[in-house]
Amino acid sequence: GQVFEVGTGKPAAVREMVEHIEQRFSLSGRTGAEPIYDSGRDRPGEIMQSCAANTPLKELGWAPKFSLPEGVDSLVRACLREK
């Protein structure tokens, strides 16, 4: 079988997504756990950005329907409903 990466194809910084989730859903208020950010130093092997290589899917006519923040919002809302 073939493996496909599903995503917008645009780079996304992990920290920006954590900040987006915290601002949108105030999870620290719900969980009592605050995000901890390092002093800005990169650790060996740490992922700072992620980007799905979705070209093979686009060649088949697929296109993302949601932006990354919209998709993350939908996922977090679903997870909160499951609690």
Side-chain angles (χ1 to χ4, degrees):
Q2 192 170 355
V3 176
F4 294 98
E5 292 186 29
V6 178
T8 64
K10 298 176 183 173
V14 175
R15 182 175 180 153
E16 288 175 13
M17 292 313 307
V18 171
E19 290 172 347
H20 170 80
I21 292 168
E22 177 56 33
Q23 289 172 0
R24 178 77 169 83
F25 294 97
S26 301
L27 294 182
S28 61
R30 295 171 189 252
T31 65
E34 294 281 336
I36 299 172
Y37 300 109
D38 201 326
S39 62
R41 298 182 309 260
D42 295 348
R43 294 179 293 205
E46 185 169 9
I47 298 172
M48 302 304 289
Q49 284 193 345
S50 183
C51 182
N54 63 8
T55 302
L57 280 175
K58 285 185 169 185
E59 290 172 351
L60 295 173
W62 177 87
K65 293 182 180 179
F66 306 99
S67 69
L68 184 57
E70 290 169 332
V72 169
D73 287 357
S74 178
L75 175 64
V76 172
R77 280 193 304 271
C79 290
L80 292 173
R81 278 194 304 271
E82 292 295 317
K83 284 189 103 180

